[in-house]
Amino acid sequence: AVVMGREADGVSDEMLQAADRRIYLSMHGFGESFNLSVATALVVQKLFSYDPSMVGDMSEEVRAALRRRWYRQLAKTPERLKLYESYLHRPPPPYEDLRRPEQLRSKDAVRRRMEKNIRAKKKDIRDAPSGGGEACGRKPASGSSCMYVVQKGRSKPIRVEIPQ
């Protein structure tokens, strides 16, 4: 078993005593810690690098049971469930390229998505309860611009001045 501990409190003393091995992930640069998902990914990747036989070491029976459970949880409609269940007997082939389709990766497509996101953010600011669209309510300090930041859980946006 691989047991991962949180930065705040690590793993239990019982787990530490039972461990065959303990490892430490060294860091370089400005970071002080990895988040748990990054640390886990690094450890699992290293394990697979040291012992490639561990990759895919699962019986077809166990794999099918996991797929069946996953497909039931994943399906949001009866149609999707039917489609996913058909994959139990004939799984779809893996994608050759996991990236977005080329037409969605072009500079124009990226620019359009960014512009759409910016328009949505501007609309959020305009529609904010405190009248955030009113040119920041007052003139920003010389050499600054301003914007409103809408935070989850807050009813009013926060005015932020940004030095130029």
Side-chain angles (χ1 to χ4, degrees), residues 35-50:
N35 73 29
L36 186 59
S37 64
V38 170
T40 303
L42 291 169
V43 168
V44 170
Q45 182 60 46
K46 270 295 192 204
L47 288 172
F48 288 157
S49 295
Y50 288 139

Side-chain angles (χ1 to χ4, degrees), residues 4 23-27 34 38-40 42-43 46:
M4 303 296 292
I23 64 167
Y24 172 79
L25 298 173
S26 60
M27 293 188 67
F34 292 117
V38 170
T40 303
L42 291 169
V43 168
K46 270 295 192 204

